[in-house]
Amino acid sequence: MPVDPTITGFTIRDLRFPTSLDAIGSDPMNTSGENAHGYIVYHTDTDLQGIGWSFSNGQGNEVLCAGIKCLAPRFVGRKLSSLTSNFAQTHRNFLGGQTRFMSPERGVMQLASNAILNAIWDLWAKVEGKPLWKLVADFTPEQLISVIDFRYITDELTPEQALAMLKDKEKTKQERMDLALKNKAVPGYNTSVGWLGLSDAQVEAGLKKAVDAGFRHFKLKAGLGLETDRKRLGMVRKVAGESAVLMVDVNQIWDVDEAIDYMPKLADLNLWFIEEPTSPDDILGHARIRKALKPHGIGVATGEHVNNRVMFKQLLQAEAIDAVQLDALRLSGINEILSVCLLAAKFGVPVVPHSGGTGMPELCNHISHFDFVAISGKQSILEYTDHCHEYFTDPAEFSGGHFHAPTAPGYSCRITDEAFAKFECPQGSFWQSEKGQLLLNDPWRGCAAEQTSPMK
């Protein structure tokens, strides 16, 4: 019989990887980003720990850590079973209280909620001795429904409708489980080849390496001019071949009409979608862009900056997107992610999680696996980036064109002691170095027009 640990305390840490120095994550909006984690460890009266974190882009990560510190005491003294036995209610209660007034289910407090709920799910999966994806995939339809708070989405999806959907998928679930256990469930696409700050030579070398590793889908950063974009995309076609699937991402830099004017000029390159063409909050703008680009064969994707299930519901209702790019570290934990996966399945839109930052492939790998096995029943793809996997005790693995299904119990959240020694802020060895101090003390880090610290 599984143990039922009591949470006895917590530790919060500020971890920042100096990814900008290698142009990792560079795009039209974010020229210099330090992939950063607000990291929490829940200690228990057993040997098990619940580990979770959420993500920021460097400066301001201390604000995320403060948000986590504000909310973390709520679960101290509680047995795990008291939280998971009615997890939907726990989720609703946790997003309530006085802190909700500041930013209801959005912003920094939503990120903080995400980190804490990730830690609870990590602990639950460890108690059950399963990787998180399999914990969820092994749920009965009734158990899966029981962890979701359907408030605000019942106008589109009720618990009864969701239950019927899951029961229908249950009939063929074992076939998909077998594919997952053979590491054939989740194909990947490569983003590391397309960072904006890379030279053409670096892009070409990265493409050749990615093709050899089995990638057939590639995403490039774009939006800095037709000549530049066509040159880069043409390079992908040359190296990867005409059968390669290409996507582009402009990270919110355009107004709606700019996107509608620009993208048809790339239509001959046979692109699957344009990602984040405009403000992530502009649902009707995305709908206009999608309608305008559909005759050109170009889809629209967004989601990495979508804060909650309500916005995803409206994006789907407005027929604004061709791919749901939910972020494992922006929604309020697996509870809300499951509701978004169900909404996407109802509308027949694939879930293509955003996982371009440090540690995101580790977590999103779980999401893509349980979505395929238990919810959508349809194979999609998952973003792969090749940086910083060495700092995780259970890193994402990829071969033969597919992600490997995680095998270690938990949510793959644990980061190595070596990473903290180097990159915990401000005491890590890198941040104490001369270059680290230059980055930390530049208040405009990441704003190209004002930044004074070195790019590399």
Side-chain angles (χ1 to χ4, degrees), residues 17 95 172 188 295 328 424 451:
F17 299 88
L95 299 183
T172 54
E424 188 165 9
Q451 180 174 312

Side-chain angles (χ1 to χ4, degrees), residues 248-260:
V248 294
D249 182 3
V250 297
N251 297 90
Q252 316 164 29
I253 65 167
W254 289 328
D255 285 346
V256 171
D257 290 333
E258 286 181 279
I260 291 172

Side-chain angles (χ1 to χ4, degrees), residues 404-416:
H404 294 193
T407 57
Y411 196 11
S412 304
C413 287
R414 187 177 176 186
I415 292 174
T416 66

